[in-house]
Short mmCIF file of all heavy atoms in Angstrom, two decimals:
data_model
loop_
_atom_site.label_atom_id
_atom_site.label_comp_id
_atom_site.label_asym_id
_atom_site.label_seq_id
_atom_site.Cartn_x
_atom_site.Cartn_y
_atom_site.Cartn_z
N LYS L 1 2.80 33.89 -7.90
CA LYS L 1 2.94 32.45 -7.61
C LYS L 1 3.45 31.72 -8.74
O LYS L 1 4.34 30.80 -8.48
CB LYS L 1 1.42 31.97 -7.21
CG LYS L 1 1.50 30.50 -6.68
CD LYS L 1 0.15 30.08 -6.39
CE LYS L 1 0.15 28.63 -5.84
NZ LYS L 1 -1.33 28.23 -5.40
N VAL L 2 2.94 32.00 -10.00
CA VAL L 2 3.45 31.32 -11.15
C VAL L 2 4.92 31.55 -11.20
O VAL L 2 5.79 30.64 -11.50
CB VAL L 2 2.73 31.85 -12.41
CG1 VAL L 2 3.44 31.41 -13.69
CG2 VAL L 2 1.34 31.31 -12.42
N ALA L 3 5.45 32.78 -11.10
CA ALA L 3 6.89 33.02 -11.27
C ALA L 3 7.67 32.34 -10.20
O ALA L 3 8.74 31.73 -10.47
CB ALA L 3 7.08 34.61 -11.19
N LEU L 4 7.19 32.39 -8.94
CA LEU L 4 7.92 31.75 -7.80
C LEU L 4 8.03 30.18 -8.01
O LEU L 4 9.01 29.65 -7.84
CB LEU L 4 7.27 32.10 -6.53
CG LEU L 4 7.89 31.41 -5.29
CD1 LEU L 4 9.34 31.77 -5.18
CD2 LEU L 4 7.18 31.91 -3.92
N HIS L 5 6.88 29.55 -8.40
CA HIS L 5 6.83 28.16 -8.59
C HIS L 5 7.82 27.68 -9.79
O HIS L 5 8.37 26.69 -9.61
CB HIS L 5 5.43 27.65 -8.70
CG HIS L 5 4.69 27.52 -7.46
ND1 HIS L 5 3.74 26.62 -7.16
CD2 HIS L 5 4.65 28.42 -6.29
CE1 HIS L 5 3.21 26.71 -5.95
NE2 HIS L 5 3.72 27.86 -5.57
N THR L 6 7.82 28.58 -10.79
CA THR L 6 8.59 28.23 -11.98
C THR L 6 10.20 28.28 -11.43
O THR L 6 10.89 27.51 -11.79
CB THR L 6 8.32 29.16 -13.02
OG1 THR L 6 7.01 29.06 -13.44
CG2 THR L 6 9.19 28.81 -14.31
N ALA L 7 10.41 29.39 -10.66
CA ALA L 7 11.85 29.50 -10.18
C ALA L 7 12.19 28.31 -9.29
O ALA L 7 13.34 27.80 -9.37
CB ALA L 7 11.97 30.83 -9.48
N LYS L 8 11.27 27.86 -8.43
CA LYS L 8 11.58 26.78 -7.63
C LYS L 8 11.83 25.44 -8.40
O LYS L 8 12.69 24.65 -8.04
CB LYS L 8 10.46 26.48 -6.62
CG LYS L 8 10.30 27.63 -5.49
CD LYS L 8 9.22 27.28 -4.56
CE LYS L 8 9.23 28.29 -3.41
NZ LYS L 8 8.10 28.15 -2.47
N ALA L 9 11.05 25.33 -9.41
CA ALA L 9 11.16 24.13 -10.32
C ALA L 9 12.58 24.14 -11.02
O ALA L 9 13.22 23.18 -11.05
CB ALA L 9 10.04 23.96 -11.38
N LEU L 10 12.91 25.31 -11.46
CA LEU L 10 14.28 25.39 -12.13
C LEU L 10 15.27 25.21 -11.22
O LEU L 10 16.35 24.61 -11.52
CB LEU L 10 14.32 26.76 -12.89
CG LEU L 10 13.31 26.99 -14.05
CD1 LEU L 10 13.36 28.44 -14.49
CD2 LEU L 10 13.70 26.04 -15.21
N GLU L 11 15.19 25.78 -10.04
CA GLU L 11 16.29 25.58 -9.06
C GLU L 11 16.49 24.21 -8.70
O GLU L 11 17.56 23.67 -8.40
CB GLU L 11 16.03 26.53 -7.83
CG GLU L 11 17.12 26.41 -6.68
CD GLU L 11 18.56 26.87 -7.20
OE1 GLU L 11 18.56 27.58 -8.30
OE2 GLU L 11 19.46 26.53 -6.63
N TYR L 12 15.36 23.45 -8.57
CA TYR L 12 15.39 21.94 -8.18
C TYR L 12 16.08 21.25 -9.26
O TYR L 12 17.10 20.37 -9.07
CB TYR L 12 13.86 21.56 -8.02
CG TYR L 12 13.88 19.93 -8.10
CD1 TYR L 12 14.13 19.25 -6.92
CD2 TYR L 12 13.58 19.25 -9.16
CE1 TYR L 12 14.11 17.90 -6.89
CE2 TYR L 12 13.50 17.81 -9.18
CZ TYR L 12 13.77 17.17 -7.98
OH TYR L 12 13.76 15.75 -8.03
N CYS L 13 15.88 21.55 -10.57
CA CYS L 13 16.60 20.87 -11.62
C CYS L 13 17.97 21.15 -11.54
O CYS L 13 18.89 20.38 -11.75
CB CYS L 13 15.92 21.38 -12.95
SG CYS L 13 14.28 20.91 -13.23
N ASN L 14 18.35 22.40 -11.29
CA ASN L 14 19.78 22.84 -11.07
C ASN L 14 20.46 22.05 -10.04
O ASN L 14 21.64 21.50 -10.24
CB ASN L 14 19.96 24.27 -10.80
CG ASN L 14 19.63 25.18 -11.89
OD1 ASN L 14 19.63 24.78 -13.15
ND2 ASN L 14 19.41 26.53 -11.63
N ASP L 15 19.80 21.84 -8.90
CA ASP L 15 20.33 21.05 -7.81
C ASP L 15 20.57 19.57 -8.19
O ASP L 15 21.52 18.92 -7.65
CB ASP L 15 19.43 21.17 -6.55
CG ASP L 15 19.53 22.51 -5.92
OD1 ASP L 15 20.31 23.22 -6.18
OD2 ASP L 15 18.53 22.80 -5.08
N LYS L 16 19.82 19.15 -9.08
CA LYS L 16 19.90 17.78 -9.59
C LYS L 16 20.80 17.60 -10.76
O LYS L 16 20.83 16.43 -11.32
CB LYS L 16 18.48 17.19 -9.95
CG LYS L 16 17.52 17.13 -8.75
CD LYS L 16 18.03 16.14 -7.65
CE LYS L 16 17.05 16.09 -6.48
NZ LYS L 16 17.50 15.19 -5.42
N GLY L 17 21.43 18.67 -11.20
CA GLY L 17 22.44 18.56 -12.31
C GLY L 17 21.94 18.86 -13.70
O GLY L 17 22.69 18.65 -14.58
N ILE L 18 20.73 19.24 -13.73
CA ILE L 18 20.09 19.60 -15.11
C ILE L 18 19.94 21.11 -15.21
O ILE L 18 18.93 21.62 -14.49
CB ILE L 18 18.82 18.85 -15.37
CG1 ILE L 18 19.02 17.33 -15.40
CG2 ILE L 18 18.15 19.24 -16.72
CD1 ILE L 18 17.87 16.45 -15.64
N ASN L 19 20.81 21.80 -15.77
CA ASN L 19 20.73 23.24 -15.56
C ASN L 19 20.27 23.96 -16.92
O ASN L 19 20.42 25.20 -17.06
CB ASN L 19 22.14 23.81 -15.19
CG ASN L 19 23.17 23.37 -16.09
OD1 ASN L 19 22.89 22.84 -17.21
ND2 ASN L 19 24.40 23.48 -15.67
N LEU L 20 19.80 23.25 -17.89
CA LEU L 20 19.10 23.78 -19.16
C LEU L 20 17.67 23.47 -19.21
O LEU L 20 17.33 22.43 -18.86
CB LEU L 20 19.87 23.25 -20.38
CG LEU L 20 21.31 23.69 -20.63
CD1 LEU L 20 21.85 23.18 -21.93
CD2 LEU L 20 21.47 25.30 -20.56
N TYR L 21 16.89 24.51 -19.52
CA TYR L 21 15.61 24.46 -19.91
C TYR L 21 15.34 25.01 -21.25
O TYR L 21 15.68 26.15 -21.42
CB TYR L 21 14.62 25.05 -18.84
CG TYR L 21 13.17 24.59 -18.95
CD1 TYR L 21 12.66 23.54 -18.22
CD2 TYR L 21 12.34 25.26 -19.83
CE1 TYR L 21 11.39 23.09 -18.38
CE2 TYR L 21 11.03 24.74 -19.99
CZ TYR L 21 10.61 23.79 -19.31
OH TYR L 21 9.22 23.35 -19.45
N HIS L 22 14.87 24.22 -22.13
CA HIS L 22 14.65 24.63 -23.49
C HIS L 22 13.48 25.37 -23.77
O HIS L 22 12.27 24.81 -23.70
CB HIS L 22 14.90 23.45 -24.54
CG HIS L 22 16.04 22.62 -23.99
ND1 HIS L 22 17.44 23.04 -24.46
CD2 HIS L 22 16.21 21.55 -23.30
CE1 HIS L 22 18.28 22.13 -24.00
NE2 HIS L 22 17.62 21.24 -23.36
N ASP L 23 13.59 26.67 -24.26
CA ASP L 23 12.32 27.33 -24.83
C ASP L 23 11.35 27.56 -23.73
O ASP L 23 10.08 27.25 -23.82
CB ASP L 23 11.73 26.61 -25.94
CG ASP L 23 11.04 27.47 -26.93
OD1 ASP L 23 11.20 28.78 -26.82
OD2 ASP L 23 10.46 26.95 -27.89
N LEU L 24 11.72 28.19 -22.61
CA LEU L 24 10.79 28.55 -21.52
C LEU L 24 9.84 29.65 -22.00
O LEU L 24 10.32 30.70 -22.36
CB LEU L 24 11.62 29.05 -20.32
CG LEU L 24 10.72 29.44 -19.11
CD1 LEU L 24 9.95 28.28 -18.53
CD2 LEU L 24 11.74 30.04 -18.00
N ASN L 25 8.56 29.40 -21.92
CA ASN L 25 7.65 30.38 -22.42
C ASN L 25 6.16 30.07 -21.73
O ASN L 25 6.09 29.04 -21.08
CB ASN L 25 7.51 30.33 -23.89
CG ASN L 25 7.04 28.91 -24.53
OD1 ASN L 25 5.86 28.51 -24.14
ND2 ASN L 25 7.86 28.33 -25.18
N PRO L 26 5.29 30.93 -21.94
CA PRO L 26 3.93 30.63 -21.25
C PRO L 26 3.23 29.31 -21.59
O PRO L 26 2.36 28.88 -20.86
CB PRO L 26 3.16 31.87 -21.62
CG PRO L 26 4.05 32.99 -22.01
CD PRO L 26 5.25 32.17 -22.62
N TYR L 27 3.63 28.70 -22.69
CA TYR L 27 3.10 27.39 -23.04
C TYR L 27 3.59 26.32 -22.16
O TYR L 27 3.05 25.12 -22.08
CB TYR L 27 3.23 27.08 -24.49
CG TYR L 27 2.43 27.87 -25.47
CD1 TYR L 27 2.88 29.06 -25.98
CD2 TYR L 27 1.03 27.49 -25.75
CE1 TYR L 27 2.17 29.84 -26.86
CE2 TYR L 27 0.28 28.36 -26.58
CZ TYR L 27 0.80 29.45 -27.18
OH TYR L 27 0.10 30.30 -28.01
N ARG L 28 4.83 26.58 -21.46
CA ARG L 28 5.40 25.55 -20.71
C ARG L 28 4.92 25.47 -19.27
O ARG L 28 5.26 24.69 -18.47
CB ARG L 28 6.94 25.84 -20.70
CG ARG L 28 7.59 25.76 -22.11
CD ARG L 28 7.71 24.34 -22.58
NE ARG L 28 8.75 24.29 -23.64
CZ ARG L 28 8.95 23.32 -24.41
NH1 ARG L 28 8.33 22.05 -24.15
NH2 ARG L 28 9.95 23.18 -25.27
N ILE L 29 4.13 26.46 -18.90
CA ILE L 29 3.50 26.54 -17.48
C ILE L 29 2.30 25.95 -17.62
O ILE L 29 1.28 26.56 -18.27
CB ILE L 29 3.58 27.89 -16.91
CG1 ILE L 29 4.98 28.68 -17.18
CG2 ILE L 29 3.21 27.92 -15.48
CD1 ILE L 29 6.13 28.02 -16.46
N LEU L 30 1.80 24.86 -16.81
CA LEU L 30 0.63 24.21 -16.80
C LEU L 30 -0.10 24.38 -15.40
O LEU L 30 0.59 24.69 -14.53
CB LEU L 30 0.75 22.80 -17.09
CG LEU L 30 1.69 22.51 -18.29
CD1 LEU L 30 1.91 21.05 -18.41
CD2 LEU L 30 1.05 22.95 -19.63
N PHE L 31 -1.40 24.17 -15.41
CA PHE L 31 -2.10 24.26 -14.04
C PHE L 31 -2.79 22.97 -13.76
O PHE L 31 -3.46 22.28 -14.65
CB PHE L 31 -3.10 25.34 -14.16
CG PHE L 31 -2.48 26.68 -14.15
CD1 PHE L 31 -2.07 27.31 -15.42
CD2 PHE L 31 -2.19 27.45 -13.09
CE1 PHE L 31 -1.60 28.53 -15.49
CE2 PHE L 31 -1.69 28.67 -13.10
CZ PHE L 31 -1.33 29.24 -14.31
N ASP L 32 -2.66 22.46 -12.55
CA ASP L 32 -3.16 21.18 -12.06
C ASP L 32 -4.69 21.32 -11.69
O ASP L 32 -5.22 22.43 -11.95
CB ASP L 32 -2.42 20.63 -10.97
CG ASP L 32 -2.52 21.41 -9.73
OD1 ASP L 32 -3.36 22.36 -9.61
OD2 ASP L 32 -1.70 21.10 -8.80
N LYS L 33 -5.21 20.30 -11.25
CA LYS L 33 -6.64 20.34 -10.95
C LYS L 33 -7.10 21.48 -10.04
O LYS L 33 -8.17 21.90 -10.15
CB LYS L 33 -7.15 18.93 -10.38
CG LYS L 33 -8.71 18.81 -10.26
CD LYS L 33 -9.07 17.43 -9.87
CE LYS L 33 -10.49 17.16 -9.67
NZ LYS L 33 -10.95 15.90 -9.24
#
């Protein structure tokens, strides 16, 4: 689920014209309530 949701977020950014994400690592993935 973490991998899939991260991929969906990155693809959304690509669709909006932002295709770079800087320093993707486990500290960049957060969990909501």
Side-chain angles (χ1 to χ4, degrees):
K1 183 178 181 180
V2 168
L4 177 58
H5 283 218
T6 303
K8 287 182 175 180
L10 293 171
E11 182 60 21
Y12 167 80
C13 294
N14 286 343
D15 289 343
K16 297 298 181 179
I18 299 180
N19 54 15
L20 289 183
Y21 192 93
H22 309 282
D23 211 5
L24 178 63
N25 62 66
Y27 289 96
R28 299 287 200 185
I29 313 298
L30 313 169
F31 291 88
D32 67 11
K33 186 175 182 179

